[in-house]
């Protein structure tokens, strides 16, 4: 029983000493710029990308690059616009798999 208590205390200290990732809280200015400029531009990019994808669909289907085009023209702008926190500008393209030629 004593060994179990010592092991649990050791485990507790080891878990407390693990490095934790700090997350920056966006400032009010970053949130305002995101709300007033970045989100509308991202939404416009999503809409324009969807239109471009619809126009180019026959060509991308023939060449076999429809999925790649859909990701670049619609998915990335939509994720930038709708899935990140307000005021957060991470390297959002780094999270996605790179498109291979």
């Amino acid at each position: 029983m004593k060994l179990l208590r010592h092991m649990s205390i050791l485990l507790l200290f080891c878990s407390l000493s693990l490095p934790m990732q700090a997350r920056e809280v966006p400032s009010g200015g970053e949130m305002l710029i995101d709300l007033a400029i970045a989100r509308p531009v991202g939404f416009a990019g999503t809409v324009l990308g969807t239109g471009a994808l619809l126009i180019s669909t026959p060509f991308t289907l023939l060449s076999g690059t429809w999925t790649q085009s859909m990701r670049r023209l619609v998915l990335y702008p939509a994720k930038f616009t709708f899935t990140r926190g307000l005021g957060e500008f991470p390297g959002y393209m780094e999270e996605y798999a790179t498109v291979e030629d």
Side-chain angles (χ1 to χ4, degrees):
M1 189 60 135
K2 204 173 197 179
L3 179 65
L4 181 62
R5 185 173 21 162
H6 289 299
M7 292 299 286
S8 62
I9 291 172
L10 180 65
L11 182 64
L12 177 68
F13 281 123
C14 288
S15 67
L16 291 176
S17 67
L18 291 175
M20 294 185 191
Q21 223 176 12
R23 185 172 175 204
E24 277 189 43
V25 177
S27 68
E30 289 172 329
M31 290 178 152
L32 186 62
I33 288 171
D34 188 10
L35 185 64
I37 298 171
R39 298 289 171 139
V41 169
F43 183 72
T46 304
V47 170
L48 292 173
T50 302
L53 181 68
L54 290 174
I55 292 169
S56 67
T57 294
F59 309 109
T60 57
L61 286 175
L62 288 173
S63 66
T65 59
W66 188 84
T67 304
Q68 175 184 354
S69 299
M70 188 262 311
R71 284 185 186 141
R72 293 286 178 172
L73 294 173
V74 179
L75 184 66
Y76 292 160
K79 284 194 174 199
F80 177 79
T81 305
F82 298 111
T83 62
R84 62 185 174 78
L86 189 62
E88 293 179 2
F89 294 100
Y92 70 97
M93 292 290 284
E94 297 167 4
E95 297 174 7
Y96 307 119
T98 55
V99 179
E100 297 178 10
D101 294 325

